[in-house]
Amino acid sequence: MLANAFPDGRIVGGVAAKLGDYPYIVSIREDGNHFCGGALITWRWILTAAHCLCDAEISGHLTVQAGFIYQDAPGSCSQEKDVVQRICHANYTPDLTDNDIGLAKVNTEFTLSKTVDIIALPSSGAYVLPQTAVVSGWGALTENGEMSNILYELRVNILPWNECNDIYIDEFSDLLICAGFMQGGNDTCQGDSGGPLTCYNEGRVLCAIVAAGQGCARPGFPGIYTPVHKFLDWIQQNIN
């Protein structure tokens, strides 16, 4: 893991989302408290970061909540399920940033509604990332701040891999991408980990998940993401 990294990022500098804008985003909760995001990719499977599911300090009861934007008042449209299975990539370790991808299975299917839906995955491993995408989550709004009560969204630039590699040097593999702004000021933060980076070049697809970052919205350090198209085979093998 990157030195001084905040592996569970948050959105800094975004804007509040509206109910139904991201019907596939979920809140992963430990003993009722939000700590990570995720995306609904089937009616029972959530794609998220491995460190949201398999790190040693996660020992409480996990649930997944969908269909809402306010943490303190989810409302009648929300649906909550118990996590009954956790699968993390075999090559993930807390000491590394790559392979930070995991799946959570819930006890019963979510129900399609105006505020709850699944998101498509990239069409193939040859998927080409666009130049911009949108990240969403309930993470903190300032570095080391408290979690946001409302769902936030932020449009970010997807940076060239070589540029990311120059920033993070030996920490950056071809199983990672970075997105954000070199000038800082806008980024993910604590509580956004595992949440979706949404791309729109093949319709609306889940192109990456929030993995890590060097602080939050710091100049010169864009956020780090796990690109979903690199793990399509792994996902299909585990949800089938």
Side-chain angles (χ1 to χ4, degrees), residues 44-65:
R44 289 191 69 182
W45 285 100
I46 290 87
L47 191 66
T48 186
H51 74 260
C52 293
L53 300 175
C54 297
D55 281 5
E57 64 268 21
I58 300 169
S59 58
H61 175 62
L62 297 189
T63 57
V64 173
Q65 191 161 2

Side-chain angles (χ1 to χ4, degrees), residues 157-168:
N157 295 328
I158 298 178
L159 303 176
W161 186 89
N162 289 342
E163 188 172 336
C164 302
N165 189 50
D166 288 344
I167 296 167
Y168 292 108

Side-chain angles (χ1 to χ4, degrees), residues 14-199:
V15 297
K18 295 188 290 293
L19 185 63
D21 282 352
Y22 303 97
Y24 46 87
I25 194 170
V26 302
S27 168
I28 300 177
R29 310 164 80 82
E30 183 177 20
D31 296 330
N33 299 308
H34 169 84
F35 72 100
C36 272
L40 193 62
I41 59 170
T42 79
W43 296 113
R44 289 191 69 182
W45 285 100
I46 290 87
L47 191 66
T48 186
H51 74 260
C52 293
L53 300 175
C54 297
D55 281 5
E57 64 268 21
I58 300 169
S59 58
H61 175 62
L62 297 189
T63 57
V64 173
Q65 191 161 2
F68 72 103
I69 56 171
Y70 291 99
Q71 288 283 347
D72 65 352
S76 60
C77 295
S78 68
Q79 301 177 41
E80 189 166 14
K81 309 289 183 180
D82 292 324
V83 173
V84 294
Q85 185 177 1
R86 293 181 254 176
I87 301 173
C88 293
H89 197 284
N91 294 328
Y92 166 73
T93 72
D95 298 325
L96 298 173
T97 307
D98 53 1
N99 300 301
D100 191 0
I101 189 168
L103 288 159
K105 186 178 184 180
V106 294
N107 57 330
T108 60
E109 291 187 350
F110 282 95
T111 302
L112 172 66
S113 71
K114 291 181 179 180
T115 61
V116 178
D117 202 353
I118 60 176
I119 185 171
L121 301 180
S123 59
S124 73
Y127 175 76
V128 177
L129 290 159
Q131 294 183 324
T132 64
V134 177
V135 64
S136 47
W138 289 273
L141 304 179
T142 59
E143 188 165 325
N144 296 321
E146 295 183 358
M147 301 277 184
S148 173
N149 179 50
I150 189 172
L151 180 66
Y152 267 71
E153 62 181 354
L154 172 69
R155 182 169 292 276
V156 292
N157 295 328
I158 298 178
L159 303 176
W161 186 89
N162 289 342
E163 188 172 336
C164 302
N165 189 50
D166 288 344
I167 296 167
Y168 292 108
I169 314 175
D170 294 335
E171 302 282 358
F172 213 77
S173 78
D174 61 358
L175 296 176
L176 298 168
I177 62 171
C178 69
F181 303 92
M182 291 303 297
Q183 69 269 27
N186 300 273
D187 196 9
T188 53
C189 204
Q190 288 98 347
D192 289 324
S193 274
L197 182 70
T198 305
C199 292

Side-chain angles (χ1 to χ4, degrees), residues 190-212:
Q190 288 98 347
D192 289 324
S193 274
L197 182 70
T198 305
C199 292
Y200 294 90
N201 57 335
E202 284 188 354
R204 185 167 66 180
V205 300
L206 177 62
C207 56
I209 56 177
V210 179

